[in-house]
Amino acid sequence: MGRPNVGKSTLFNRITGQRRAIVGDEPGITRDRIHGFAEHDGRRFEVIDTGGIVVDDQEYIPAQILHQAEVALAEASQIILLVDGRAEITAPDRDLARMLQRLGKPVTLAVNKADTRDRYDLVGEFYELGIADIYPVSAEHGTGVDALLDHVTEGFPEADAASESEEPAGRIKISIIGRPNVGKSTLLNALTGEERAIVSPIAGTTRDAVDETVHRDGTDFVFVDTAGIRRKGKTKLMAEKLSVVMARRHIRMAHVVLLVLDATEGVVGLDSTIAGYAHEGGRALIIVVNKWDEVAGHRGQKKNEFTQKIRDQFKFLEYAPVVFVSAKTGAGTEGLFKLIREVYESASLRIPTGEMNRFVEQLRFEERKIFYITQTSIRPPEFVVFTDKRGALHFSHERYLINQIRRKFGFRGTPILLKTRAKGSSRGE
């Protein structure tokens, strides 16, 4: 916890050992609460990075940041109040210290940017805040962080090395992507059943990627709400540029991507660009048309019309199912869990070579002779086609072959990759 721009996200990244939160010189970059896991001296724990807090600020975004922070505080076993060691104690520091002390939970004061001996000597001034446990640190360089963690994690149980070494089974990672203000954060809140992300009519409220896990029928669905992706040239602020980079990174890390469109605005060019990011990354994909409750008229007919527009605009996403929801009311969102599992299983499907060979025997393919096909990987499914000619298949023939594979084996919601090899050759085309 701390006021804006004292280095909370830098400390969060230092403790968790990954660039999970966006860091920059602009104050107020972090807005939602960001979760990460860390381990110190054999003790594993969760860390929550909150937005910069000004206790009495009544503006919409600061008030929502405080609300998100209060949720984090309710979950916390330990609280670290971070202050800027290069600045004098401010009124927001005092207000926040008093607020945290009233909670009755352990509070540790970390004085950041204490990276020289002179700065260490000034740390004593911060006892004025009334917090007994004070640790000078440099979040940027890592100085003093081990001592801070020794204190904060004292009494935490030691992690079971065997259980922590493997990725949990039955875990599906889902990225929610789309243009700013199409309802991504509202959809995350609807799917998780809580106000997990800040929602406002102000476009671009989400900057970091916010994640939350929902357990359903033996499966952990890990949802990541990414920042709205803007067109190149429209991202002038450093935080927004980093948001685009981080959003694309979370697409690559996901198993399934939900592309959110705004039903009231229709399909626009930037939607195609964003969809291309997911397609190029080989992610299973579901197209989610949000705000469907705001569309007037005969919705059954309009669904068909809207779906056709999507198919015309996203010709490369013919495999992606289209669903219509209202994240605001929750209508249609419940069925997403079943669909996410279905497209994930499709992307994870592996066809035995013998079954593929029986498929080849029934295949009518005149462009060249296909000897056999073998699947080489999953997520996305990739196949190597052994033929009597060198060179890649013509686009139309490749499309035909992929459609035949889908017709036979399914693979709903996932791209399929094909590589061709001349029989006897060891290199793919």
Side-chain angles (χ1 to χ4, degrees):
M1 313 288 289
R3 61 181 171 84
N5 214 33
V6 295
K8 296 181 300 301
S9 294
T10 305
L11 182 60
F12 175 89
N13 289 343
R14 172 68 61 180
I15 292 172
T16 60
Q18 56 181 310
R19 195 179 177 187
R20 179 68 180 79
I22 296 174
V23 175
D25 294 331
E26 297 166 15
I29 287 178
T30 300
R31 292 174 173 178
D32 300 286
R33 64 187 195 272
I34 312 300
H35 292 234
F37 288 93
E39 187 172 320
H40 177 73
D41 199 21
R43 298 184 286 269
R44 186 169 170 82
F45 53 97
E46 186 175 18
V47 190
I48 306 177
D49 179 25
T50 62
I53 298 170
V54 180
V55 174
D56 294 321
D57 195 330
Q58 300 303 312
E59 291 290 327
Y60 183 84
I61 295 296
Q64 290 297 305
I65 290 173
L66 178 57
H67 171 68
Q68 292 290 320
E70 287 171 341
V71 174
L73 288 170
E75 302 174 2
S77 303
Q78 293 275 344
I79 300 167
I80 298 174
L81 172 59
L82 194 66
V83 296
D84 187 342
R86 296 181 181 178
E88 295 182 354
I89 298 173
T90 66
D93 290 330
R94 291 190 179 91
D95 293 341
L96 192 49
R98 283 194 293 268
M99 184 189 87
L100 296 177
Q101 287 169 301
R102 286 196 296 267
L103 296 175
K105 293 190 174 187
V107 181
T108 301
L109 183 67
V111 182
N112 193 24
K113 307 177 186 178
D115 42 14
T116 66
R117 175 52 57 188
D118 291 343
R119 299 295 175 191
Y120 265 61
D121 294 340
L122 294 174
V123 164
E125 298 177 6
F126 288 90
Y127 279 104
E128 181 185 330
L129 292 175
I131 298 172
D133 297 314
I134 299 183
Y135 289 82
V137 301
S138 171
E140 184 176 357
H141 301 109
T143 308
V145 174
D146 280 348
L148 172 67
L149 292 179
D150 285 344
H151 170 72
V152 171
T153 65
E154 187 178 1
F156 284 11
E158 290 195 9
D160 182 347
S163 64
E164 297 294 346
S165 62
E166 300 177 0
E167 176 76 14
R171 186 178 178 90
I172 305 175
K173 297 178 182 177
I174 307 105
S175 279
I176 305 173
I177 66 171
R179 294 182 287 116
N181 219 31
V182 294
K184 298 182 299 299
S185 297
T186 309
L187 180 61
L188 175 71
N189 291 341
L191 291 167
T192 60
E194 63 169 306
E195 285 190 42
R196 182 62 187 82
I198 294 175
V199 176
S200 88
I202 305 167
T205 300
T206 300
R207 287 179 170 178
D208 285 283
V210 182
D211 58 2
E212 185 70 11
T213 301
V214 178
H215 189 77
R216 286 288 181 92
D217 301 324
T219 300
D220 284 334
F221 295 85
V222 184
F223 291 98
V224 181
D225 172 27
T226 61
I229 301 175
R230 290 169 164 80
R231 190 181 301 280
K232 288 182 180 178
K234 298 291 186 182
T235 53
K236 296 181 181 178
L237 288 175
M238 182 277 297
E240 292 177 352
K241 289 181 179 179
L242 279 176
S243 291
V244 174
V245 173
M246 296 292 277
R248 294 192 68 172
R249 176 172 175 248
H250 283 282
I251 290 170
R252 293 194 299 271
M253 293 170 64
H255 297 130
V256 178
V257 171
L258 305 183
L259 170 62
V260 183
L261 309 180
D262 187 332
T264 64
E265 295 182 3
V267 182
V268 302
L270 184 54
D271 291 327
S272 296
T273 302
I274 296 169
Y277 295 155
H279 177 71
E280 290 163 12
R283 303 304 127 203
L285 182 70
I286 299 169
I287 301 171
V288 181
V289 182
N290 189 28
K291 307 183 185 179
W292 193 243
D293 56 318
E294 299 179 29
V295 175
H298 192 281
R299 291 184 188 160
Q301 180 181 348
K302 287 187 175 291
K303 274 187 181 180
N304 294 334
E305 293 172 0
F306 204 103
T307 301
Q308 190 55 53
K309 287 179 183 177
I310 290 172
R311 296 306 182 202
D312 292 342
Q313 189 86 6
F314 304 159
K315 293 187 185 301
F316 56 94
L317 294 182
E318 79 286 346
Y319 56 84
V322 179
V323 295
F324 294 81
V325 306
S326 168
K328 192 174 183 179
T329 67
T333 58
E334 189 63 29
L336 276 173
F337 289 96
K338 181 180 178 182
L339 188 54
I340 288 167
R341 190 198 300 270
E342 181 184 339
V343 300
Y344 171 76
E345 289 174 352
S346 288
S348 307
L349 184 62
R350 189 180 290 278
I351 309 300
T353 300
E355 195 170 346
M356 285 302 301
N357 286 337
R358 288 190 290 274
F359 161 73
V360 169
E361 290 173 1
Q362 301 168 7
L363 188 65
R364 295 182 179 180
F365 195 76
E366 298 177 358
E367 194 269 344
R368 66 180 74 179
K369 182 175 178 56
I370 296 177
F371 294 107
Y372 57 94
I373 302 174
T374 184
Q375 184 175 356
T376 54
S377 65
I378 59 173
R379 297 199 294 269
E382 181 179 273
F383 296 88
V384 176
V385 184
F386 290 86
T387 75
D388 61 345
K389 297 180 183 177
R390 289 183 176 274
L393 294 171
H394 184 273
F395 170 76
S396 61
H397 297 137
E398 181 180 285
R399 188 184 184 93
Y400 168 79
L401 184 53
I402 288 174
N403 287 340
Q404 293 302 310
I405 291 174
R406 289 192 192 283
R407 188 169 296 151
K408 175 68 175 177
F409 302 107
F411 292 111
R412 186 186 186 201
T414 178
I416 292 176
L417 304 182
L418 288 186
K419 291 184 177 179
T420 57
R421 275 183 202 166
K423 191 175 180 183
S425 168
S426 61
R427 291 188 60 187
E429 301 293 342

